[in-house]
Each structure stands twice: as C-alpha cells, then as structure tokens.
Amino acid sequence: MKKVILILLGILPIMLVAQNKCVYFEKMVKLQVEKTDLNTVESDFGPAFVGDELYHSSYTDEELEKLSKGKKKKINYDVFTSNVDATGNVVGSRSVRLADQSEGYHVGPVSYCEKTGEIFVTISNFENPAPRGTNKAYQALDVKLKIFIGEKVDGKWTKTGELPFNSPDYSVGHPSVTSSGDTLYFVSDIPEKGIGGTDIYMTVRKNGVWGDMINLGDKINTVENEMFPFIYKDKMLIFASNGRKETDDLDLYHVGMFGKNMTAITEIEQLNSEADDFGFIIHKKEEVGYFTSNREGGVGDDDIYKVLIEKIPQGKHELELIVRDRNTNEQIRDAKIGFGDALLTIAGLIFKRDLEKEKSYIVKTNMEGYMNDSKTISTVGKPFGVIRETLYVEKVVVGQKFVMDNIYYDFDKWDILPESKIELDKLVKVMNDNPSWKVELGSHTDCRGSDPYNKILSQKRSDSAIGYIIGKGIAEGRIIAKGYGETELVNECDDGVKCSEADHRKNRRTEFKILEMDGK
C-alpha cells in the first residue's frame, strides 16, 4: 500500500451509540471477509458503488504486461467497473470506465451521489504541475491530485466542474459525498491547514457553490496520514489511519457524525490485519461491503476483499413470571422464588427480569407448605421480546397422598416400562423442586390373586420404581418403597365381588405420600 499512497495521494437507524462511542461494528454486525475475482498481480483498490456497478482502480491488461517487463513510464491507474446485484454482490466481469477522462492520468477513487447524479473523481493534476514538494508522502511525485465532478450526458460521464480549491501545490483526493450531495469529505496534504501528512477535510455546497475546505480536526486527524474516507448514510465516517498505533500500517476506524458533534474514534477490529487495511465501503442494503488490503494470501500488492455483513438482532429479552395456585388458578402475591442462585421475593404479583441472549435460566418457587414448581427458561434461538411464564404451586400437608397416573407393568412383572418412566420423571422433578421432602412410594394391586402374592408383587414393583428414581439422582434416604398389595382398595372390588375391569384398574395404582416436609 505504501507505493499506492505515493502514487495516488500525489443509530439511530444505522448505529448504536453507547458512552459517546459508536459500537456499530462491535455490537450490531458481524463481518466475514472473502476474496474476490477483481484482483490482479499489481494493486487494485478504491472500491465505490456507483448505481448498480462497483467502481475500482486498477491497471489494464496492456499496462500489466508492460509492468511485467519492467516498464513503468506512462502507466496509469484506470477506473474499472463491474455490475452488482441488488445487495452489492459483484455479478459481472470488469471493464474500463471513464476512459476519456483517464487517458494519461491516474484515476480513482471515486464517489457517487444518487440524488444529484454526480460523480466525484480523483485524478492526477497534470495541467499545472508544481515542482517536487517536500511532503514525504509526495516526494516521489512531480504532480498532485485533484477532484473533478462529472455527470452523465447522453449516457457518458462528462466533466462538469472541479472543486474550487484544487491546486498544483497540494493534493485533493479520495472523495466521499453525502446522500444529499451537499457535503463532501476528502483528503488533502495542504500544508497551511493540515495537522499531519494527509488529513480528512469536508466542504459544504450552498446555492451551487462549494465552500472552503474544513479540516475535521485532531479528534480524527493525527500527525501521520488519514485517508480513504467513506461517509455511510450521512451518520458514520469510516476512514484509514496509520497514526494511531506504533506501526505505520493503515488500519480502519469509524466515528459517529452528528452535525458538529462526533463520537469517539473506534477501531474496526473485525477487518484490521497486521498489514494495510483501507478503503472500506458498505452497500446501501447493508449486507455487503468491500475494502482493500495487502494482507498475506492476496493475489497482488493490494487486493480488494468482499465483506459479508450479518446484522445482530437488537433488543432485549424480558421475563415476566407469575405464580398461581394450581387448584384455584389465582395468582399468589409476594411469592418466594429462586432465580439462578438467588432467593427472591416477588414484589406484588409479577416478577420481571432482563435476560441475556442465548442463555438458559432455572427459576423455581421456594414456598413452605406448598408443592413447589420449577421451569427452565431459555433465550437460545428466540427473538427479542417478552417471555411470559407461570409457576404452579399447591398447598399440601404431611400425610397427603397423590395418585400417579399411567404407571403400568406387564402381567406378573415389575420392570419399568417406557411409558411409566414419563410419570416417574415427574416425581423426580417434584423431589428436586421440594428438596426438604421425604416421601413414600406405595404400589397397590387389585384383589385378584392371593394376598401374599399381591403383597410380594407390589413390593417388587415399588422397589423397582424407587430404584429408577434413585438412579435419577434422588438421595436414597429421601424416598422409601412400600408394597401394599390389595390391603388398601379404593372401592368395593374385594374377593368374591364381581367388578368391571375399569373398577379393578382403579385399585392397581401407584401413589406417593408426603412423610416429611420443611423439616417437620
């Protein structure tokens, strides 16, 4: 890039501002760099969107052939164009543009204003060349740069004017125009106005006349070189600088612009490398961009790289949690809950809490005298917004029994069936939600079969269920097994009584009973 500098130099809706800092590239988008087919073995740089085309500066095949043979005289950068699709992806091969204006000149970078139809073009100032300057950035040149303005006439770009402060004594280049066409950012090495080697300036057009060049000041410009400005949606200025680090490589930075105010300068770390990185532009659809770098792995000296821009969804997840009585469905005021590792009391009826994205939380009630409840609340893969959840609790007492539905066994067997595991897992959850509980798991049979046989079978079934529950992490001392056989029938289907299968099924049940709770 050093060679190119010597030759060419002579939200708001789009950003998030926090603590006077533009964090658009830190928090709002992810950038992915890809190689392009635009590059040659020499330098290719200065991408710019012009309508449905991407302009950039490069050498023609003829000039590349001359350079390969060591010839360097009368070789100049030309402006090439490639078609782009609706989001800015290059879809065509390159061709020379601005040929009439560029013959015998270095041309580019350019900037285009869709509203006015104007193109602002950097071009070498051969008309009145000054003697070789003293600025190190231009000591290899006998000429400087200037910016001319063009419009399309009969389908061809035609020069219509120049900036009034173009001069053979210093360079003016690297234009970037706002969407309204009335403000232009650019680079110059004018000695009497500058801070460093090259600085970024602006000029405002009023009543068709461009005003004085205004240095953007030492908040942006350093004693070294700032260049390749790009004003995005009139609110964010992207530029390159080699004056903000110990090395002299160009790095990309950006700053929020709000009239006369601006945010702090922020580095675009996602794009910067250990080499030169500069000339970053973004398509108006905000999905694709391009920049130039001479990082390792390129084709030539400076290469143009494509940037895929992925927007990070903005917003927040907010939890709204309520606790209801399972039997009455009424909300419980001032309920005690556990949120993560914290024990909290809901102030009133609704618990509200902002949640982090892509994270899961465990929330549970922590209420004495109740069967507590818990849930896992996750924001993983969910859009921003309000997450509404309800925990259900039930008033209980020691000795209270609960029938567990759908606990089945094969005939004369006590193995746990898959469908029974679903119900037993519910009891595991109850035990985890109520860590102070000690319970009895009782298994019951109907009257068919002998009393001793049914007692033994029910005990084996209860033992089997307890083994499953202990295997799920419940402490052995918190749950005991009891086989009741046919000793606690819930209806009159006793020995010698004719009953339907449905009535017998009511007696074949599994229950759990609270033996201890809350230390009582």
Side-chain angles (χ1 to χ4, degrees):
M1 174 56 205
K2 305 300 186 296
K3 178 177 68 177
V4 174
I5 295 175
L6 294 176
I7 294 175
L8 291 182
L9 285 180
I11 165 111
L12 297 165
I14 68 162
M15 68 181 68
L16 182 65
V17 177
Q19 298 179 347
N20 195 35
K21 177 183 177 182
C22 181
V23 293
Y24 177 77
F25 293 108
E26 289 183 3
K27 297 184 177 181
M28 295 187 68
V29 294
K30 293 181 180 179
L31 307 180
Q32 179 180 336
V33 177
E34 292 185 351
K35 294 182 178 181
T36 70
D37 295 328
L38 300 171
N39 302 304
T40 67
V41 294
E42 295 294 333
S43 288
D44 306 272
F45 66 98
F49 290 109
V50 180
D52 57 358
E53 294 178 307
L54 181 72
Y55 281 42
H56 74 279
S57 296
S58 184
Y59 292 121
T60 63
D61 292 341
E62 181 181 357
E63 290 167 328
L64 289 171
E65 178 67 21
K66 292 179 180 179
L67 287 169
S68 69
K69 296 178 179 179
K71 299 179 180 179
K72 297 183 179 180
K73 292 184 177 181
K74 295 183 179 181
I75 295 178
N76 301 293
Y77 282 101
D78 293 288
V79 168
F80 289 78
T81 68
S82 301
N83 291 330
V84 296
D85 62 19
T87 58
N89 297 287
V90 172
V91 293
S93 58
R94 70 177 199 165
S95 60
V96 178
R97 190 74 75 202
L98 301 175
D100 294 341
Q101 291 80 8
S102 64
E103 186 174 356
Y105 296 83
H106 289 299
V107 183
V110 308
S111 181
Y112 175 68
C113 179
E114 186 175 0
K115 181 177 180 180
T116 64
E118 295 172 300
I119 191 169
F120 297 78
V121 183
T122 305
I123 192 167
S124 49
N125 189 356
F126 278 140
E127 295 179 4
N128 296 295
R132 186 182 300 272
T134 58
N135 189 309
K136 290 183 179 180
Y138 301 100
Q139 286 181 356
L141 299 177
D142 292 320
V143 295
K144 301 298 182 182
L145 302 179
K146 65 179 180 179
I147 295 175
F148 80 73
I149 306 169
E151 296 182 46
K152 279 194 173 181
V153 177
D154 296 329
K156 295 182 63 176
W157 287 115
T158 302
K159 179 180 176 181
T160 57
E162 291 189 11
L163 293 183
F165 36 75
N166 285 335
S167 170
D169 297 323
Y170 53 83
S171 283
V172 176
H174 301 184
S176 182
V177 65
T178 58
S179 60
S180 62
D182 60 7
T183 302
L184 183 73
Y185 295 89
F186 59 94
V187 172
S188 179
D189 65 338
I190 180 172
E192 57 268 29
K193 292 180 178 289
I195 295 174
T198 57
D199 289 350
I200 298 175
Y201 293 79
M202 64 177 289
T203 179
V204 178
R205 178 164 51 184
K206 295 182 179 179
N207 300 319
V209 178
W210 290 102
D212 292 337
M213 53 194 300
I214 303 170
N215 192 301
L216 293 191
D218 59 8
K219 191 168 185 178
I220 289 181
N221 295 311
T222 68
V223 295
E224 298 299 332
N225 298 301
E226 279 66 46
M227 56 192 73
F228 295 99
F230 173 70
I231 186 69
Y232 183 58
K233 293 189 175 180
D234 302 339
K235 297 295 184 182
M236 181 166 61
L237 183 68
I238 299 171
F239 63 96
S241 172
N242 66 351
R244 297 180 177 275
K245 295 182 179 180
E246 294 182 358
T247 64
D248 63 349
D249 296 314
L250 287 171
D251 286 305
L252 287 162
Y253 298 86
H254 72 294
V255 58
M257 306 288 287
F258 307 96
K260 295 182 180 180
N261 300 316
M262 64 180 69
T263 65
I265 308 297
T266 307
E267 182 181 353
I268 307 179
E269 295 182 355
Q270 293 188 68
L271 294 186
N272 286 334
S273 67
E274 295 182 356
D276 289 317
D277 304 285
F278 59 97
F280 181 34
I281 64 167
I282 303 174
H283 190 268
K284 61 184 178 181
K285 293 290 187 179
E286 209 168 345
E287 296 180 19
V288 172
Y290 295 88
F291 76 107
T292 305
S293 178
N294 64 350
R295 62 188 59 191
E296 291 186 6
V299 176
D301 186 1
D302 297 301
D303 287 342
I304 296 174
Y305 291 84
K306 178 181 176 180
V307 180
L308 298 179
I309 303 171
E310 178 186 352
K311 293 183 181 179
I312 301 174
Q314 301 299 310
K316 67 177 182 178
H317 299 283
E318 184 179 8
L319 171 64
E320 290 187 1
L321 176 73
I322 62 175
V323 179
R324 290 186 181 275
D325 186 296
R326 186 182 303 276
N327 295 320
T328 66
N329 204 41
E330 292 182 358
Q331 283 186 242
I332 296 179
R333 181 176 294 274
D334 302 330
K336 290 180 172 56
I337 64 169
F339 184 82
D341 295 329
L343 297 178
L344 308 167
T345 298
I346 297 176
L349 295 173
I350 303 177
F351 173 74
K352 294 184 178 182
R353 179 63 60 91
D354 288 344
L355 306 179
E356 296 181 23
K357 61 183 180 180
E358 302 299 313
K359 188 174 180 179
S360 295
Y361 301 82
I362 295 177
V363 59
K364 56 187 177 182
T365 56
N366 184 38
M367 301 171 62
E368 290 188 5
Y370 286 86
M371 180 188 293
N372 288 295
D373 190 15
S374 70
K375 280 188 175 181
T376 298
I377 298 170
S378 177
T379 62
V380 177
K382 292 184 177 180
F384 289 115
V386 178
I387 299 174
R388 295 181 174 88
E389 293 288 355
T390 302
L391 294 177
Y392 291 92
V393 296
E394 181 178 349
K395 193 75 174 176
V396 293
V397 295
V398 172
Q400 188 168 345
K401 296 179 180 180
F402 301 87
V403 176
M404 301 181 65
D405 298 324
N406 305 317
I407 302 293
Y408 299 117
Y409 299 92
D410 289 333
F411 177 73
D412 201 29
K413 299 290 185 181
W414 49 89
D415 299 322
I416 302 299
L417 300 177
E419 55 266 37
S420 299
K421 292 180 181 179
I422 296 174
E423 294 303 312
L424 291 174
D425 285 339
K426 294 179 182 179
L427 179 55
V428 171
K429 181 179 183 299
V430 169
M431 298 296 287
N432 284 323
D433 291 343
N434 300 274
S436 69
W437 283 17
K438 182 176 180 180
V439 303
E440 173 194 278
L441 185 69
S443 180
H444 301 262
T445 68
D446 59 32
C447 67
R448 293 175 292 186
S450 68
D451 290 352
Y453 173 81
N454 285 336
K455 191 75 174 289
I456 294 172
L457 179 61
S458 62
Q459 185 65 47
K460 288 183 176 180
R461 287 177 172 175
S462 185
D463 289 338
S464 181
I466 292 297
Y468 177 84
I469 292 171
I470 292 173
K472 289 291 186 176
I474 302 301
E476 185 175 353
R478 293 185 59 205
I479 187 167
I480 62 174
K482 183 68 177 290
Y484 285 91
E486 56 182 279
T487 62
E488 293 188 0
L489 301 176
V490 297
N491 53 31
E492 297 184 1
C493 293
D494 206 342
D495 294 337
V497 178
K498 187 176 182 180
C499 292
S500 67
E501 183 60 34
D503 288 334
H504 282 302
R505 187 179 298 115
K506 292 178 182 178
N507 288 318
R508 297 195 305 271
R509 67 195 187 279
T510 300
E511 298 174 336
F512 75 87
K513 180 172 66 174
I514 303 173
L515 300 178
E516 294 180 12
M517 58 182 290
D518 304 324
K520 301 176 183 179

